[in-house]
Each structure stands twice: as C-alpha cells, then as structure tokens.
Amino acid sequence: MEASKPEAIMGGRGSRSPQKGEQGKESSVKDSKVVPLDEAEAEPYVMAVDDSSVDRAVITALLRRSKYKVTAVDSGKRALEILGSEPNVSMIITDYWMPGMTGYDLLKKVKESSELKQIPVVIMSSENVPTRISRCLEEGAQDFLLKPLRPSDVSRITARMLH
C-alpha cells in the first residue's frame, strides 16, 4: 500500500504548482491512479487479432485512445486460447487474412461456441471484396471494416456494440 504513495508523489512533482497546491495535486493523482483501476474492470474489453504487428499497434492505439482495455494477439489460434481463459471479452476485432486460421475461421469458431457466441466479432481487411464481406456478415460478423482503420471506424463500432 505504501508503495503506491511514491508514485503519486512523483506524479505530482511534475506540476509547476506551488508546494501547497502540489499536495492537492498529490491527492488528485492518487485518485486518478485508483479510480481508473476500478473502472478498468467495468471498461469494455476488446481483443484485437492481426498477424501484422503494425496493424495490431494501430488498432490497439485507436481502441485505447477511446478508453478500452485491449489485448492484442497475432493469430486466431492464440485468440481462442485466451478466450478460453478470459471470458470477459466484450468484442473481438480480427483481420480477415492471417496464416493458420483466418479471421473468417475465427468468426465461425466463436459463433459455434456456446460460451463465446454472444461476443460481437468485427472483421477487417485491406481488400474490398463484396462476396467476402457478405459471407462474413452472413456468418455472424457484426461489421466488416476496411483497413486502414480510422478513429471514426472505432467510434462507430464501439458505440453500436459496447454501450
């Protein structure tokens, strides 16, 4: 418990406020460090699946900027492993083309599972192929997004599915 105090004090020292104001700042820094941890459990939890490290980083940054907890993985197989032990995922956003297991295959496995089928799945791809998009939506995908993802894409899907 005492270990968190130095962090809060260090956070307050970066302020240009006078020392008296710094004490108030210290209190608010502590509060800001504690409150988000409590809220984090209530925050929507999104799993981002993409074999491209660059695309994973972009998706993760966009989601975290929108205040979502994110776990990013590089394959559909790894996503299923984590989903087996972490049932609190609010949404899965996955690339369509990945080696081993495609995003479409991941979508089918999620929708076939009695434990996972309620989790919304969003497919994304850099290729605009109408038959692929239709097939994913018919299989149960909530949406199909074209890469590169934009902040407006994240706002749209999260507003519709997580709130």
Side-chain angles (χ1 to χ4, degrees):
M1 200 161 175
E2 289 297 314
S4 66
K5 283 188 179 181
E7 288 179 16
I9 292 168
M10 287 173 61
R13 283 188 187 145
S15 168
R16 294 183 184 195
S17 305
Q19 197 165 9
K20 194 178 236 182
E22 201 170 284
Q23 289 173 347
K25 190 91 169 163
E26 179 184 326
S27 174
S28 68
V29 169
K30 281 186 208 168
D31 292 344
S32 70
K33 284 189 181 243
V34 172
V35 173
L37 292 176
D38 293 338
E39 289 173 0
E41 295 175 20
E43 284 180 345
Y45 176 20
V46 180
M47 179 174 292
V49 187
D50 200 313
D51 60 314
S52 162
S53 60
V54 171
D55 287 335
R56 273 196 317 274
V58 168
I59 296 159
T60 299
L62 287 172
L63 289 166
R64 286 189 176 147
R65 203 172 298 144
S66 297
K67 306 295 185 225
Y68 297 105
K69 179 180 172 187
V70 181
T71 296
V73 296
D74 63 357
S75 70
K77 181 180 181 219
R78 183 72 183 123
L80 288 174
E81 289 170 3
I82 292 173
L83 286 166
S85 63
E86 298 224 15
N88 298 326
V89 173
S90 307
M91 179 176 69
I92 301 165
I93 183 165
T94 181
D95 185 29
Y96 182 86
W97 277 120
M98 294 182 293
M101 177 185 290
T102 67
Y104 179 74
D105 294 335
L106 175 60
L107 168 68
K108 286 177 31 175
K109 293 222 180 264
V110 167
K111 294 306 174 185
E112 290 168 0
S113 166
S114 59
E115 295 87 28
L116 305 175
K117 67 182 176 185
Q118 79 288 350
I119 301 172
V121 179
V122 174
I123 306 282
M124 56 188 171
S125 178
S126 56
E127 301 172 348
N128 187 356
V129 181
T131 54
R132 181 182 301 158
I133 295 168
S134 297
R135 187 171 74 150
C136 289
L137 294 174
E138 287 168 9
E139 193 64 43
Q142 297 296 312
D143 207 339
F144 194 104
L145 303 175
L146 292 176
K147 292 180 183 180
L149 289 189
R150 299 175 307 261
S152 60
D153 294 324
V154 171
S155 298
R156 188 180 83 230
I157 61 171
T158 57
R160 201 169 72 204
M161 285 181 275
L162 301 179
H163 292 277

